[in-house]
Amino acid sequence: MKFSVQSLYTWYRDLIRNPKYRWWVILGTLLYFVSPFDIAPDFLPIVGQIDDVFLLTLLVTEVSGLVIEGFKARRGNIDANVEVQATDTTKDSTSSTTVDVDAVSVK
């Protein structure tokens, strides 16, 4: 089995996006942050804080991303309902629908 930082990040991200385990992962991350038992002990000058800062940054990034996605989804549902109502009242046989797609390359 190969270990990589990317696989660890992907595992953490998938786990925190799962609603069943989300709060357990957040609680575990916060407990790890305040715990004196770390991968790199905190009494080491710089190395001791790197793992805490990395994990806390990862937690804040993922939780803020989830909040933003939830906000956009709620706002998108409201905007979609308004747009559907507006297009229903002005149906025209000559109108066309344009779909704008942001392309992303996949490796």
Side-chain angles (χ1 to χ4, degrees):
M1 183 168 96
K2 251 181 141 179
F3 174 78
S4 70
V5 175
Q6 181 64 36
S7 64
L8 187 63
Y9 171 72
T10 304
W11 172 79
Y12 185 85
R13 185 175 186 181
D14 291 342
L15 197 59
I16 203 167
R17 289 180 180 269
N18 186 344
K20 185 176 180 182
Y21 302 114
R22 180 175 300 146
W23 292 109
W24 288 109
V25 172
I26 292 171
L27 180 66
T29 303
L30 292 175
L31 284 174
Y32 179 82
F33 181 70
V34 298
S35 169
F37 304 107
D38 289 342
I39 293 172
D42 290 338
F43 63 83
L44 298 173
I46 295 175
V47 178
Q49 285 78 25
I50 288 177
D51 65 333
D52 291 338
V53 169
F54 174 73
L55 200 57
L56 193 61
T57 303
L58 185 61
L59 176 68
V60 169
T61 302
E62 290 301 317
V63 170
S64 64
L66 288 171
V67 169
I68 290 170
E69 284 178 11
F71 177 74
K72 283 183 179 179
R74 261 187 255 118
R75 186 170 180 191
N77 289 339
I78 293 169
D79 290 344
N81 291 338
V82 171
E83 185 177 324
V84 167
Q85 290 173 355
T87 57
D88 286 343
T89 60
T90 60
K91 284 197 173 190
D92 187 11
S93 61
T94 59
S95 66
S96 64
T97 304
T98 303
V99 177
D100 186 22
V101 178
D102 293 329
V104 177
S105 63
V106 178
K107 292 182 181 179

